[in-house]
Amino acid sequence: MSDRFPPGFLWGAATSAYQIEGAVAEGGRTPSIWDTFSHTPGRTDGGDTGDVAVDHYHRMREDVALMADMGLTAYRFSVSWSRVQPTGRGPAVQLGLDFYRRLVDELLDHGIQPALTLYHWDLPQELEDAGGWPARDTAHRFAEYAALVGSALGDRVEHWITLNEPWCSAFLGYASGVHAPGRTDPAASLRAAHHLNLAHGEATSALRAALPARDQIAVSLNSAVVRPLSPDPADLAAVRRIDDLANGIFHGPMLHGAYPANLFADTASVTDWSFVQDGDLRAIQQPLDALGLNYYTTSLVSAADPDTADARADGHGASAHSPWPGATSVAFHQPPGERTAMGWTIDPSGLYDLLLRYTKEAPGLPLLITENGAACEDGPAPDGSVHDPDRIGYLHDHLATVRRAMEAGADVRGYYLWSLMDNFEWSFGYGKRFGAVYVDYATLERTPKSSARWYAELARTGELPRRPGA
């Protein structure tokens, strides 16, 4: 197998607005659900918030220079809806758009392609107060917001992503409550999932009307790789049920115009799905130019043992409320193997399976790995340098798997490392570091880690550098 990637392959890194920008009350920005959630006692580790984050809003040019030094050819960022359209309604705030105009211009001046994500979990609080994603109107508001951003930046941004990980928005936000807005209502989480699907479809149509024909539209899904604990038929049935809730609930409508055949019956005790209206599935199934996939680890499930009450080992945070509505018959187990600092098992074979699955699920649709990376326990040495061989090993093995999947027929066009730099890691606060660039949170000084230099060599040559210790 060749370790060389094809010419034109995108070498990127990714971030999201609330995790890095800070400046939460500047330029007309109003609170998002993550501002409210992080300021609620007990919601985040250490009471951490994104008020300052890593101050990217004020240090943007410095951060783009770091990207250029890493040899990035693409950068995936998200727009803060609250910065651009503070109430979720009405005209755009030009000061908010101007920040993203400056960012895009700076990227282009350094030869870096911007990849813009419209929604990375930071719903304007006023829209949550009006019902949030469980309310149908939020989907329509999102389409209007998409049109505003598309009209402002479509002349310079060619790569667009509607939603990032709608599964997390729906089920961690409205079922288990470990993400903003912190609600624990299984029926509301299923309504949210449908309205996120509808938002994607309506926003895609709005972008098509606003963007030049050359621009490309995608969505980023954190599709799960679900494996059975045993070949027992009951465990295989558990896999099917979770696969529908993790994957089919989004890719079914988006790619095929239909929800999975068993989903409605599986969740009948939770909702009757009467919120799905005539024409919704046609509105959701819009042609895409690429499919983004975010991958970190695998899931291991079995039929639940009614005589045990083990903690749910699904990797999605501690909560007495499950993010899996209608799946009380399923037990989650910790997959064996080495783990990252998040406690997630390291398993590159899952990425191979995911890429080959979507090669069959959506034939002819190019694929992008829009997130992949590892949280590691790294910090500065006495000389100030930051070495992270564990992260380099993780990246090497996953990228080797990407190359193997490409040789097996997967049309992968690019890879976005998560993340460009250490940042606010949602409910984990600042305790987990995913970055290729180390951030001293006291001084906000940036220091490229050894993984940044390793990745720069890969971006420069297109050839996978050796694994540490190999």
Side-chain angles (χ1 to χ4, degrees):
M1 183 190 81
S2 172
D3 285 337
R4 182 171 294 278
F5 286 78
F9 191 87
L10 292 175
W11 294 110
T15 64
S16 84
Y18 188 72
Q19 291 181 274
I20 68 167
E21 283 182 5
V24 295
E26 293 189 37
R29 184 188 181 278
T30 57
S32 75
I33 56 175
W34 268 98
D35 294 280
T36 303
F37 186 85
S38 66
H39 279 270
T40 302
R43 291 297 199 178
T44 65
D45 287 358
D48 290 341
T49 76
D51 288 1
V52 176
V54 295
D55 199 31
H56 173 71
Y57 186 83
H58 297 111
R59 298 166 183 258
M60 176 267 291
R61 287 186 170 83
E62 173 189 353
D63 292 339
V64 174
L66 285 170
M67 299 177 209
D69 289 343
M70 284 177 62
L72 300 188
T73 57
Y75 172 55
R76 178 181 169 231
F77 64 95
S78 77
V79 170
S80 166
W81 191 347
S82 294
R83 195 178 297 286
V84 166
Q85 194 188 32
T87 65
R89 295 178 174 83
V93 172
Q94 292 306 311
L95 280 175
L97 283 174
D98 284 346
F99 169 72
Y100 297 106
R101 290 185 177 109
R102 293 193 301 273
L103 169 60
V104 166
D105 288 346
E106 194 75 11
L107 291 167
L108 293 174
D109 285 348
H110 285 80
I112 300 169
Q113 296 186 42
L116 187 156
T117 301
L118 285 166
Y119 187 75
H120 199 129
W121 306 352
D122 48 356
L123 187 71
Q125 183 62 44
E126 287 198 28
L127 289 183
E128 174 60 24
D129 293 343
W133 285 112
R136 185 178 183 86
D137 186 62
T138 304
H140 307 326
R141 302 285 75 76
F142 182 69
E144 293 176 2
Y145 157 68
L148 290 175
V149 180
S151 297
L153 296 172
D155 60 333
R156 284 161 288 179
V157 176
E158 296 185 19
H159 300 276
W160 293 77
I161 294 166
T162 54
L163 304 174
N164 178 77
E165 298 186 353
W167 185 89
C168 294
S169 298
F171 297 113
L172 300 185
Y174 292 93
S176 70
V178 299
H179 278 190
R183 289 162 62 178
T184 54
D185 181 343
S189 74
L190 291 167
R191 292 198 305 274
H194 178 66
H195 295 143
L196 283 154
N197 282 330
L198 186 61
H200 159 76
E202 291 190 357
T204 300
S205 296
L207 288 174
R208 294 281 181 216
L211 299 179
R214 60 168 169 73
D215 287 4
Q216 299 178 345
I217 302 173
V219 65
S220 288
L221 303 178
N222 58 319
S223 295
V225 177
V226 189
R227 292 172 173 165
L229 184 66
S230 81
D232 185 281
D235 289 359
L236 298 178
V239 168
R240 197 275 309 154
R241 184 181 287 261
I242 296 303
D243 186 76
D244 284 350
L245 277 172
N247 304 329
I249 195 171
F250 295 108
H251 77 227
M254 290 181 182
L255 300 179
H256 309 305
Y259 282 103
N262 296 298
L263 180 65
F264 294 170
D266 288 347
T267 56
S269 63
V270 180
T271 181
D272 63 4
W273 289 83
S274 58
F275 47 81
V276 179
Q277 298 184 10
D278 290 345
D280 282 2
L281 292 169
R282 288 191 300 276
I284 295 167
Q285 188 191 15
Q286 297 298 317
L288 292 172
D289 301 299
L291 177 64
L293 297 172
N294 296 356
Y295 175 80
Y296 293 96
T297 190
T298 57
S299 297
L300 185 64
V301 304
S302 71
D305 182 346
D307 296 326
T308 64
D310 294 337
R312 187 182 62 254
D314 63 0
H316 292 299
S319 172
H321 303 273
S322 172
W324 305 101
T328 55
S329 62
V330 177
F332 285 81
H333 307 269
Q334 175 69 51
E338 185 182 359
R339 305 181 196 179
T340 69
M342 290 292 289
W344 298 341
T345 298
I346 300 171
D347 187 354
S349 72
L351 180 54
Y352 180 89
D353 293 347
L354 191 67
L355 292 171
L356 269 292
R357 173 183 184 165
Y358 280 98
T359 297
K360 297 177 181 177
E361 194 81 46
L365 186 63
L367 303 175
L368 296 165
I369 298 162
T370 40
E371 287 184 27
N372 178 237
C376 299
E377 302 288 353
D378 46 41
D383 65 358
S385 62
V386 183
H387 299 288
D388 54 346
D390 291 345
R391 180 174 290 105
I392 295 174
Y394 181 101
L395 296 177
H396 176 279
D397 293 351
H398 283 77
L399 282 160
T401 297
V402 172
R403 193 69 194 91
R404 186 164 65 91
M406 293 170 71
E407 293 200 343
D411 183 12
V412 185
R413 302 289 181 88
Y415 177 93
Y416 291 85
L417 164 69
W418 187 270
S419 176
L420 172 67
M421 54 189 163
D422 298 334
N423 54 49
F424 176 79
E425 188 49 43
W426 306 114
S427 58
F428 293 97
Y430 295 98
K432 305 296 183 185
R433 293 181 178 271
F434 277 87
V437 174
Y438 181 85
V439 178
D440 181 325
Y441 294 126
T443 66
L444 298 177
E445 181 181 359
R446 279 88 155 123
T447 303
K449 304 175 187 179
S450 51
S451 60
R453 295 189 292 275
W454 182 91
Y455 196 66
E457 181 183 352
L458 172 59
R460 179 178 59 82
T461 65
E463 187 166 358
L464 197 61
R466 293 180 59 187
R467 196 183 196 284

